[in-house]
Amino acid sequence: MQNLQGKIAGYDFYSALEKLTDNSGLKKFKDCYKAFMHMVREWQFLKMVKRAGRSHSRTGIKGTGPGELAIICPACPHPNINLPEGWENVSPDERFIYFLFLAIDTCFRLKRCLISSEKKDPGLGTGLGSFIEDKKYRKYLLTVTDQREISSCTSLSALDHTNTKFSTGYATTGTGVCCCARHELIERGGVGDLQKGERYANMDYVFSSVLRHHHVKLHKVVSYNIACQWSKNLLEHLKSLPSHIRPDNIGSYNTVIPKLHVFSHNPPCPTDFSLNYLPGAGRTDGEGIERVHAMTGPVCASTKQMGPGYRHDALDAQWLFWNWQKVVGMGLAFYKKLVKALLKAKLTREEFERFSEQQPERIHEWEEMVVAWEGDHTQPNPYTIPKSGVTEADVKLLLAQNEAQLASQGVPTVHETVNASAFIVAGLGLQEHQRKAAHHVKSTNIWTPTQKTELLELRTRLHHELARF
Ligand SMILES: [Zn+2]
Ligand SMILES: [Zn+2]
C-alpha cells in the first residue's frame, strides 16, 4: 500500500524497516529483500485479481481474458450493463449522453533499461490488465519499418521526434496510454510499450486494442494532442494492423485535441479540433490523461530498472489501483461536480439568452452558420476570427518604403531627426493618450486620492508629449 499510495520503492521500504530495527550500522541482517519483493509482487497481483472479481468466475484466475483485470469505468457507457434499451435510437439531440470519450497520449518518462529479458522475467499478468498482450504485440512490431511522418502542423515536436527520440540503452522508450477522457480510468488493454518515439504503429495498436472492449455503435470522441496528424490516415493505418487486433469497423467518431494543447497548434486546428465547438462534448477538456502520467511519475525511476515482466506487473498495479481509487471516489466527486455544473449551466444559459436578446437581427444568421459548420467542416467556420485588413505594422512599412525612395532620389527631409511616418505615429499615440484620460474621467465615480493622482499624472504626461509634438 505504501508503494501504491506513496510510490515508495520496495527497496526504500525494506531498508527503512532494517533501519528501524538498528540504525547504527553495527548489526548485520539476514538479506530477505528478494523474498520480500516476491511477496509484494504476488500480493499486488492477487489484489488486482480480487478487485476484478475473478473469484466469482467459474474459470478463476486462469480463465482471465485480455484486459479483464482492469476495472471498467462505471460512468462510461456500456451497452447491456448501464444503458437503457434502445439507447442507439435516441433523438440526435440526446445522442451525446452515449458518447464514449477516450484520451490517448504517450509518456516518455516510463522507460525501461536494456536489462533482463522476457524469458528470464515473464510477467504474472501481462495482457490481463492495462498492458496489451505482449507476445503478439512484439511480433507485430517486428514487421513495422520506421515511419517517416511529415507533420503539416509545425508545432508538433512529438512527431518530429518520431524517428530520432534517443533509444540507445533502452528496451522501452516510453508507453502509449489510453484512458477514458472524462473519468481518467485506464482502459482495458490500453497501454503499449514504445520503442522509438511516438510511432503511429504503436498508438494505432493501442487504440484498436481498446476498441475491442467497447460496443461498435457507441459514438467515440478521441482526444489526442496530435489528433490533427494522427486522424489523417487513421482508417488506412488501422487496416494494416494484424487480423487479431484489426477492427472490422470502428463506427462513428470525432478526433479532438486536448484544450490546453490545442492552442500550440497552427490554424485551423484550434477551431477544427476544439472540444469547445464539438456538440455534445460538454466541458470535457481531454487533459485528464496528464493526471494519469503525473500519478506514475514518481515510479519512473524504480520501474526503469526492472525486468520486462516485473515492470508490467508493477505498473499494472499502479494503474489498476488508480482505477479502483477513482471508482471508490466517484460518488462524492460526481455529487460535488453536479452541484457546481447545475449552477454554472443556469448562469451560462441566462447570459447567453441575454446576449441573444440584444442581437435579434444577427442571431438567426449566426445560428445557421454554426449549424452548417457543425455538419460540414468545409463550410465557413464561424469561430475563426477574420483577418482584419491592414495592420499598423503594414502601414509603417509602406511609409518607410516611401521615405527610403524619396531619400534615394535626393529629396531633402522636412525635419532633421524626425521623419514623416514617425511624426504621424507620434500623433496617433498622443490621440490615444487623450482618449485614455477622457475615459478615466468618464468611468470614475468616486474620486479617491489615488484616482486623482492617476489623472493628474496622465494629464502632466500628455502636456509634455503635446509640447514635444
Ligand atoms: Zn469513464
Ligand atoms: Zn495541428
Side-chain angles (χ1 to χ4, degrees), residues 375-389:
D376 174 12
H377 274 15
T378 61
Q379 296 293 316
N381 186 333
Y383 300 111
T384 331
I385 298 166
K387 255 198 151 185
S388 61

Side-chain angles (χ1 to χ4, degrees), residues 153 156 228-229 257 265 269:
C153 203
L156 302 178
C228 56
Q229 308 304 310
I257 298 172
H265 284 247
C269 296

Side-chain angles (χ1 to χ4, degrees), residues 96-116:
F96 74 93
I97 300 171
Y98 308 112
F99 279 8
L100 173 70
F101 291 84
L102 295 172
I104 311 177
D105 195 22
T106 47
C107 179
F108 287 117
R109 292 178 70 194
L110 287 176
K111 291 177 163 52
R112 190 180 81 77
C113 296
L114 260 177
I115 37 180
S116 189

Side-chain angles (χ1 to χ4, degrees), residues 6 9 15 70-71 91 116 123-124 137 140 144 158 172-173 206 217 258 271 334 341 345-346 380 382 391 431 457 459:
S15 303
I71 300 158
S91 64
S116 189
L124 287 176
Y137 178 54
Y140 156 71
V144 178
T172 300
T173 55
V206 171
K217 280 191 182 165
T271 48
F334 288 175
K346 189 173 168 278
T391 64
Q431 205 171 38
E457 281 174 357
R459 280 191 174 148

